[in-house]
Amino acid sequence: MRYLVRARVKDGCRGALVQAIERGTLGEGSVAEGEYLRNMNEARVCADQTVRWVEVCYCPTPLQEERPYWRRILSWSRCRTRMTGANAET
């Protein structure tokens, strides 16, 4: 399932997050380290200073494995199913 995720970088975490993305070390040692890095490379910072990206997850609960990792550096705002085809979000 694909999810459209919106979050805000926690105070004091922006520099370390940017550095980990630039160095390619984001999520290092995690089972999903490549996915985390890909997500942040494709993420967009919006005018309201939220970060938005599409995350692929097959957990029974949306982003069940990913949330503990992201919660260390992000304040979750929203996670919703991103539909495809005729039901696609605009």
Side-chain angles (χ1 to χ4, degrees):
M1 185 75 62
R2 290 168 39 132
Y3 296 94
L4 179 59
V5 182
R6 179 172 51 183
R8 195 173 298 279
V9 179
K10 290 183 178 180
D11 291 339
C13 293
R14 182 183 170 102
L17 175 60
V18 169
Q19 190 173 58
I21 293 167
E22 289 174 347
R23 291 183 177 173
T25 59
L26 183 68
E28 197 169 65
S30 164
V31 69
E33 69 182 78
E35 181 74 6
Y36 297 149
L37 188 56
R38 185 188 63 76
N39 290 335
M40 288 297 103
N41 278 319
E42 295 177 359
R44 299 293 176 256
V45 178
C46 299
D48 64 358
Q49 296 303 300
T50 58
V51 180
R52 297 178 191 191
W53 71 96
V54 174
E55 178 116 20
V56 177
C57 179
Y58 300 101
C59 300
T61 301
L63 307 179
Q64 181 177 348
E65 293 177 357
E66 293 84 349
R67 285 181 192 249
Y69 179 82
W70 287 129
R71 283 194 173 137
R72 295 182 310 177
I73 53 177
L74 302 170
S75 297
W76 223 255
S77 297
R78 178 186 287 179
C79 174
R80 62 181 171 184
T81 304
R82 181 175 175 145
M83 306 298 284
T84 59
N87 296 323
E89 293 178 356
T90 55

